[in-house]
């Protein structure tokens, strides 16, 4: 029997898009499979923390998977854990840490589900993408029922599913490669950087040493060329000393973000984000020892960052730029900032390695993340960055940037974009699994 | 003494939450419901997370057969004892509105009334061998005010309640504690999307309450407790007014 549905307005996490959809939360497999079989098209939803709307589309049916959140198998010797897709990273890490195990690739918030990490091929604070730690998965589609997928079995379907934005079917289980926990706390070392170039040099240097996760916070709201992008590079590494972590985390959803009562204060509050963070860092010691959980998810407990953006929300621009073009791209951010003066609330860099495949956000280069408050200056600023992105041969993160046009995506991903559509059509000519984000990609199909 | 339990209706909602809470307390258990995959998955989860023994038996409680005795014996054999018996399973139907039909009456009466009665009868016969210490029957506040909708559901739950009261009398020396818990609205798929007059209790909190009460001789109790007040007021309404109320 299909699961009961209600009509619901579903928002993207950044607050910029929404859909009126039917919505359901099946709690058993029989109703989950029946709901998918009975529906013409469906969207799958985990924590719904993707800034792009990947879990709903107008007039569609959204199936929430949070009831499917169990640990199915744990093999400490082989370093493998098998879970249902709806399990939250925070809950999984609590379990793994109790067995002295850990995941080497983690996204920003503990509420994010494993299914979401696979579908969006998230990247970690350090090097690596989620694809690197997915050993295998099971995929359900009414056309072929359930299939095992891995690098050795149904390989094409596997590659299409990891980073496939939920287009290939319902992931019923995922087997992840886990690793020994290297310590009982995380030490975060902070190195000041004078400007963007300095930050890139430090990132390259410390990332290649592989001592831990390396990332930076950069001030992109500076007009002066010499100090544009100044900030801090952080190097997080495990430490043997114990520091208690309670693995408690807040429920974060687009609705909890939108329902915070900051309203009219949002434009003022967002102006203070960068100077306040900068000031706080000046008072913090060069080295901080944090619990495993707090060190892995620095934003956890500071969700006010998102809710202070108000109902209008924010826009996130995240791109991977080849190392040799990173300086040029940074210059473009500065020029666009000087021209439009948007309210930049976050600037950050990382160094990542990987090979592109389909629409997976995966490439060797420098990762730029820019968050802006969603006001009338944001769009012209970001559109200018899109042009710079194309010039610099970069790729955008479709999961993070809700306002990207199909043309920009196609130009950046090139032949991989077309191959994604061809291969997806081969396995599912009807495109049963949809979303507002996927519809943008599939629009001419 | 070993901690063992059987849960009827363990695949989702309250039954699943109860299995999790019992596992946290170190109970080995047998899970019974219709959905084999849900049960298998839940058993794997409980074993991995809490290191307890969890086995399952897939059973359609609406079918007329002698599988209840077989299931109870299977549980006893697998777990070595059967200290706690939880009757969580329940079913309702869109067709449960008078006048109804015989299929709906058969289905709802079996799941909500006859099956729990058979389980309780088995306990009455075998409690010493199974080392049973408690039986918990989850009933509904709907039994307090018969109305034109959900009549069969409430009537069959009332049947099970009456049987449980008989069992309480049978165990008046206190050998086995029998609790009847009248539940109000629960946040499960049965109430999904319904805007109800009173708040829904979460399965997790309800499961914790059932465990807290499993050693008590409480007769009939309400959860959440405010339902006692609501049902008392409902019962005080004169019949000539009550029968004109449409709810």
């Amino acid at each position: 029997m299909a699961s009961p549905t209600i009509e619901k307005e579903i928002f993207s996490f950044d607050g910029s898009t929404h859909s009126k959809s039917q919505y359901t939360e099946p709690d058993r497999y029989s109703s989950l499979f029946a709901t998918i079989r009975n529906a013409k098209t469906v969207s799958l939803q985990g924590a719904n923390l993707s800034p792009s709307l990947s879990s709903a589309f107008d007039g569609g049916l959204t199936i929430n998977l949070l009831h499917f959140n169990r640990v199915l198998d744990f093999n400490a010797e082989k370093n493998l854990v098998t879970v249902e897709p709806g399990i939250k990273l925070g809950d999984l890490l609590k379990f793994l840490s109790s067995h002295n195990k850990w995941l080497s690739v983690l996204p920003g918030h503990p509420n994010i589900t494993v299914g979401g990490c696979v579908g969006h091929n998230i990247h970690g604070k350090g090097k690596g993408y989620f694809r690197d730690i997915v050993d295998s998965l099971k995929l359900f589609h009414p056309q072929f029922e359930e299939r095992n997928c891995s690098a050795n079995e149904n390989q094409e379907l596997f590659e299409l599913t990891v980073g496939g934005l939920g287009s290939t079917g319902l992931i019923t289980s995922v087997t992840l490669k886990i690793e020994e926990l290297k310590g009982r706390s995380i030490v975060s070392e902070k190195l000041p950087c004078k400007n963007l170039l300095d930050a890139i040099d430090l990132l390259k240097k410390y990332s290649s040493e592989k001592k831990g996760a390396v990332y930076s916070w950069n001030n992109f709201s500076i007009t002066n060329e010499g100090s544009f992008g100044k900030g801090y590079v952080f190097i997080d590494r495990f430490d043997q000393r114990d520091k208690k972590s309670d693995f408690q985390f807040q429920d974060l959803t687009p609705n909890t973000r939108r329902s915070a009562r900051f309203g009219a204060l949002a434009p003022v509050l967002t102006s203070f984000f960068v100077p306040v963070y900068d000031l706080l860092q000046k008072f913090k010691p060069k080295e901080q020892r944090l619990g495993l959980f707090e060190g892995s998810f620095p934003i956890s407990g500071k969700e006010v960052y998102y809710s202070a953006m108000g109902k209008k929300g924010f826009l996130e621009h995240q791109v991977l730029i080849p190392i040799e073009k990173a300086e040029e791209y940074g210059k473009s951010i500065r020029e666009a900032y000087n021209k439009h003066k948007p309210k930049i609330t976050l600037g950050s860099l990382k160094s990542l390695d990987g090979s592109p495949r389909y629409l997976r956000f995966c490439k060797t280069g420098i990762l730029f993340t820019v968050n802006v408050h969603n006001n009338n200056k944001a769009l012209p600023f970001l559109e200018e960055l899109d042009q710079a992105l194309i010039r610099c041969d970069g790729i955008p993160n479709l999961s993070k940037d809700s306002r990207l046009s199909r043309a920009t995506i196609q130009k950046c991903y090139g032949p991989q974009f077309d191959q994604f559509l061809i291969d997806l059509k081969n396995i599912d000519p009807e495109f049963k699994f949809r979303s507002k984000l996927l519809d943008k990609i599939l629009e001419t199909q | 003494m070993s901690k063992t339990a059987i849960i009827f209706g363990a695949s989702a909602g309250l039954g699943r939450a109860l299995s999790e809470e019992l596992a946290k307390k170190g109970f080995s258990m047998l899970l019974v419901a219709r959905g084999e995959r849900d049960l298998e998955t839940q058993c794997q989860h409980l074993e991995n997370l809490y290191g307890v023994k969890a086995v399952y038996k897939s059973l359609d409680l609406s079918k007329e057969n002698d599988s209840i005795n077989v299931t109870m014996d299977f549980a006893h054999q697998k777990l070595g004892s059967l200290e706690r018996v939880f009757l969580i399973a329940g079913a309702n139907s869109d067709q449960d509105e008078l006048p109804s039909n015989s299929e709906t009456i058969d289905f709802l009466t079996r799941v909500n009334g006859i099956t729990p009665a058979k389980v309780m009868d088995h306990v009455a016969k075998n409690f010493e061998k199974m080392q049973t210490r408690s039986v918990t029957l989850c009933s509904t506040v709907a039994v307090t005010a018969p109305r034109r909708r959900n009549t069969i559901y409430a009537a069959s739950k009332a049947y099970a309640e009456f049987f449980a009261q008989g069992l309480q009398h049978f165990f008046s020396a206190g050998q086995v504690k029998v609790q009847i818990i009248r539940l109000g609205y629960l946040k499960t798929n049965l109430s999904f999307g319904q805007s109800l007059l009173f708040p829904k209790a979460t399965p997790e909190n309800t499961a914790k309450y059932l465990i807290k009460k499993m050693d008590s001789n409480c007769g009939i109790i309400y959860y959440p407790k405010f339902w006692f007040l609501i049902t008392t007021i409902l019962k005080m309404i004169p019949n000539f007014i009550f029968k004109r109320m449409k709810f």
Side-chain angles (χ1 to χ4, degrees), chain B residues 62-126:
Chain B
S62 68
K63 296 279 184 284
E64 196 175 14
N65 51 39
D66 62 353
S67 48
I68 292 300
N69 288 332
V70 175
T71 303
M72 296 295 278
D73 289 341
F74 176 75
H76 183 213
Q77 181 202 332
K78 286 279 176 190
L79 305 175
S81 64
L82 213 45
E83 276 188 29
R84 311 288 180 178
V85 178
F86 290 96
L87 295 159
I88 310 296
N92 60 13
S93 165
D94 295 342
Q95 307 288 311
D96 190 359
E97 189 161 7
L98 296 179
S100 189
N101 55 69
S102 60
E103 289 83 16
T104 307
I105 292 173
D106 283 350
F107 170 69
L108 293 179
T109 309
R110 281 194 191 126
V111 177
N112 300 309
I114 295 171
T115 298
K118 284 182 177 178
V119 174
M120 288 186 272
D121 185 54
H122 188 94
V123 172
K125 287 175 193 148
N126 301 288

Side-chain angles (χ1 to χ4, degrees), chain B residues 106-154:
Chain B
D106 283 350
F107 170 69
L108 293 179
T109 309
R110 281 194 191 126
V111 177
N112 300 309
I114 295 171
T115 298
K118 284 182 177 178
V119 174
M120 288 186 272
D121 185 54
H122 188 94
V123 172
K125 287 175 193 148
N126 301 288
F127 70 97
E128 281 178 330
K129 184 178 80 178
M130 299 192 308
Q131 301 165 49
T132 306
R133 294 171 62 191
S134 68
V135 175
T136 303
L137 172 74
C138 285
S139 183
T140 167
V141 294
V143 300
T144 56
R147 56 200 177 102
R148 71 197 75 192
R149 283 177 55 215
N150 284 338
T151 312
I152 311 161
Y153 170 70

Side-chain angles (χ1 to χ4, degrees), chain A residues 39-42 57 141 143 167 424-434 439 442 445:
Chain A
K40 191 170 173 247
T41 52
V42 293
F57 68 103
H141 192 295
Q143 277 184 5
S167 58
L424 182 61
K425 206 166 188 175
N426 277 341
I427 64 147
D428 182 6
E430 306 293 324
F431 298 126
K432 184 170 180 103
F433 291 86
R434 302 273 288 274
D439 275 6
L442 307 171
Q445 298 300 302

Side-chain angles (χ1 to χ4, degrees), chain B residues 171-208:
Chain B
F171 289 126
S172 56
Q175 310 95 310
V176 177
K177 308 281 194 298
V178 182
Q179 301 98 39
I180 300 162
I181 318 280
R182 285 182 179 165
L183 299 175
Y185 302 141
L186 272 185
K187 204 173 176 183
T188 65
N189 254 13
L190 288 178
S191 64
F192 179 76
Q194 292 177 23
S195 55
L196 301 163
L197 207 53
F198 301 102
K200 300 173 190 173
T202 64
E204 292 75 22
N205 287 343
T206 310
K208 283 176 189 156

